[in-house]
Each structure stands twice: as structure tokens, then as C-alpha cells.
Amino acid sequence: MILDPQTSAKIARYRPREAPPVWAEVAPLVRSVVAATVSAVPYDVERLLHVTASLAVWAVQAGHPLDPDAWLRNEVIDAYVLSRAAGLEPSSVRTYRTWLLRVRDALAWSERGETTPARLHADPAPHLPYSRADLAGLKDWARHLRGQQRNDAQALLGLGAGFGLQPREVAASLGSHLQRRGGKDGPLVHTGVTREHPLAARSDWEEVLGELAARAGRGYLFRPGRTVEYAKNLIGSWSLVHQPPEGLPRVSVGRLRATWIVRLMATGLGHDLIAKAAGLASAASLARFQHHVPPLDDDTATRLLRGVRA
């Protein structure tokens, strides 16, 4: 299986937070399993690395052999997710089990030199993108907040709808990560995330993001007073406390990212480029967003087919 450079780099660099000593033994096997299965399962490579590494470390510490075939047995997976049950929501426990079973199946088919069998159920529904009216309303609401609340709201909106970042990437973003490429009038790019091409902000978010970056400097763009890069409820707790007025939806990074993806798809931009910009393993991951993309009008379709620029 030949992976794109970005996915390969993520796999090669991966290391769990506070990795135990046993990580040195299991790391090559975890990376091999993920490399062999990432193209056959519908999960982001970071999530796949996290759950596979967590299982591998737990299994070896529990006395199981240093062998992925041993870790990915039903009874071992079940014992692992039960060991995590106390610290996870029931839905998360089920999710971990589903991911690991899918990895096990994909690895088995890969080792036999066969493609994975056709899936008989749909991909999980993606986040619902915001309508243009809702996004405009959220933008106006954020602009009228005061002090750090305004900065935090605008950072969430801009990093999500302007760059299409995932929650962990939003949390890790520093002001110094946003830089003009090619001079003061060049595109605003995010240098703090790994993408195959420079990740440029949507033009309608450049101004506010540029102002936030100048204000934040080397500090975090979102909630700069915190001492940890990321925590599970970092963004969710903020959105729960800071709710827009009635009639507007809550701020969700997942929905902002979906909005960014769908609007790029609606432009007719190549899906391969969109997937790379979004940090997805392949363009196939965009299929679950397609039904949110409005149909082209006849004039636009004709122009695209002719290869004429707008």
C-alpha cells in the first residue's frame, strides 16, 4: 500500500503523550498496522494511531504477546475496552471497539492480499454544515462580544470556517502560526499544521484571523490563558457557556469544518486537493459530505466542463 506523504509522515512521527517504556517495543508494530489499514477504514489517521497504540500498550502490559494478531482478538479487544469503561462515555467505549474490529478485519484482508469487502452500511453522518445565514449570524454575534470572549469566539469561527481545522488543531494554533506568504498582501497561511500544500485561509476570514494573530503573538489564539495544549472539553465547555442568542446554533468546530469542506466542494475544486487540505487520508472521505453540496446551475456546469475560469 502506497500512502501519500502527509499520512506517512503522521504515522512515522506518532508517539503517545506520556508514552510508557513499552512503547519502544510496540511502536514499529503499531505503525505497521496503521500503515496497512488506514486506506481501508473510514477514520482519520490520528485517531487510528491513538486507538491502535492504546490497545497495543495495554495488551503488552497485560502480558499478551508482542504480536498484533494477539492484540486484535475479540476477547482481547473486549477486555481492553472494558478496562477503559470507567473513564469513557458508553458511546466512546462502543466507538473504540468498532474501530478496533474494523482495523482487525482490514488487516486480515490486507495480509491475504485482497481488497476489503464492500461495506453494506453507510458512513457515519458528518457534521451538518452551517447555512450562510447562520454563519453570518455567528460572525456578527462574535464581533459584538467583549474582550477575550470576542477573541475566543472569532478564533473558533475563523480557524474552523477559514482553515477547516480539527478541534485539536484549533486548540494548538498560535498567533505566530498564521503568516502572510510572499509579503504583506500574500495569502494568509497556517504554518502550524501538517499538510501536503500550504494551508491558506479563505479570503473572507483573512482580515479577522490576521488581527487575532497579531494580538496573540506567540500565545494560543483560543483561550490563551490555559496551561495545557488540549483537553477533551476545552472547546465544548466554552461553547456551552458562551451560547449565541436564540435563533442561532451553538458554535461547533465540527460544523465549522464541515462548512469549510462543503463550500470548497461547491466551487468545483478537485476533491484530491480538498482532502489534502483537510488532512484526510483520501478523497473518498469526502463522499459523506456530497449530499450537502448544492447542485450546480447550468451556466456554472458549462463553464467548468469547458475549462473556462470565472
Side-chain angles (χ1 to χ4, degrees):
M1 178 66 65
I2 299 176
L3 302 177
D4 62 84
Q6 179 188 356
T7 301
S8 296
K10 289 180 179 179
I11 294 172
R13 289 196 308 264
Y14 179 78
R15 177 182 175 84
R17 293 179 182 275
E18 301 178 3
V22 73
W23 172 246
E25 298 180 74
V26 303
L29 295 171
V30 168
R31 294 185 179 113
S32 295
V33 168
V34 173
T37 60
V38 66
S39 297
V41 295
Y43 312 129
D44 291 341
V45 65
E46 292 92 345
R47 295 181 178 181
L48 202 57
L49 284 161
H50 168 71
V51 72
T52 306
S54 180
L55 169 69
V57 168
W58 177 89
V60 172
Q61 289 179 331
H64 294 283
L66 197 64
D67 180 357
D69 285 340
W71 313 335
L72 292 166
R73 295 175 64 87
N74 280 348
E75 60 269 25
V76 177
I77 292 173
D78 288 346
Y80 162 72
V81 296
L82 286 173
S83 75
R84 299 291 307 272
L88 295 173
E89 296 291 330
S91 60
S92 297
V93 172
R94 291 191 296 270
T95 297
Y96 272 45
R97 186 176 187 275
T98 299
W99 287 356
L100 290 168
L101 291 175
R102 291 292 300 276
V103 168
R104 191 267 312 279
D105 292 345
L107 186 63
W109 286 87
S110 174
E111 289 177 345
R112 288 165 54 178
E114 302 178 34
T115 58
T116 52
R119 299 178 62 198
L120 300 180
H121 58 84
D123 284 323
H127 288 282
L128 184 69
Y130 290 114
S131 68
R132 290 189 179 276
D134 281 344
L135 189 57
L138 288 174
K139 205 171 182 179
D140 184 66
W141 163 73
R143 187 167 56 247
H144 287 90
L145 293 175
R146 295 184 177 182
Q148 189 56 45
Q149 293 181 15
R150 180 180 63 247
N151 294 345
D152 287 339
Q154 290 184 325
L156 284 181
L157 293 173
L159 293 170
F163 280 115
L165 300 188
Q166 300 179 55
R168 190 176 293 273
E169 294 172 331
V170 168
S173 294
L174 308 177
S176 56
H177 285 154
L178 307 191
Q179 299 177 10
R180 289 285 181 179
R181 195 164 186 254
K184 64 178 182 179
D185 296 323
L188 185 70
V189 299
H190 197 306
T191 64
V193 295
T194 302
R195 299 289 191 266
E196 186 169 335
H197 304 293
L199 181 59
R202 299 286 288 171
S203 60
D204 53 337
W205 288 100
E206 284 185 335
E207 182 178 355
V208 66
L209 284 168
E211 292 173 355
L212 289 170
R215 196 175 298 131
R218 295 184 177 276
Y220 291 118
L221 286 163
F222 175 68
R223 298 183 73 170
R226 57 192 153 98
T227 57
V228 295
E229 180 177 298
Y230 185 72
K232 182 177 180 181
N233 293 320
L234 177 71
I235 296 173
S237 61
W238 188 95
S239 297
L240 188 63
V241 172
H242 302 89
Q243 296 198 34
E246 187 175 354
L248 285 175
R250 282 174 53 184
V251 177
S252 161
V253 172
R255 293 192 66 182
L256 290 164
R257 175 174 161 84
T259 303
W260 177 82
I261 288 173
V262 168
R263 296 211 174 149
L264 285 177
M265 293 174 70
T267 66
L269 193 64
H271 285 192
D272 183 59
L273 176 56
I274 297 172
K276 289 175 180 176
L280 297 172
S282 73
S285 302
L286 298 176
R288 57 202 174 108
F289 294 97
Q290 186 62 53
H291 69 285
H292 292 300
V293 180
L296 297 174
D297 60 75
D298 289 347
D299 290 342
T300 302
T302 301
R303 175 176 56 78
L304 291 172
L305 290 169
R306 291 180 66 206
V308 178
R309 293 179 179 272

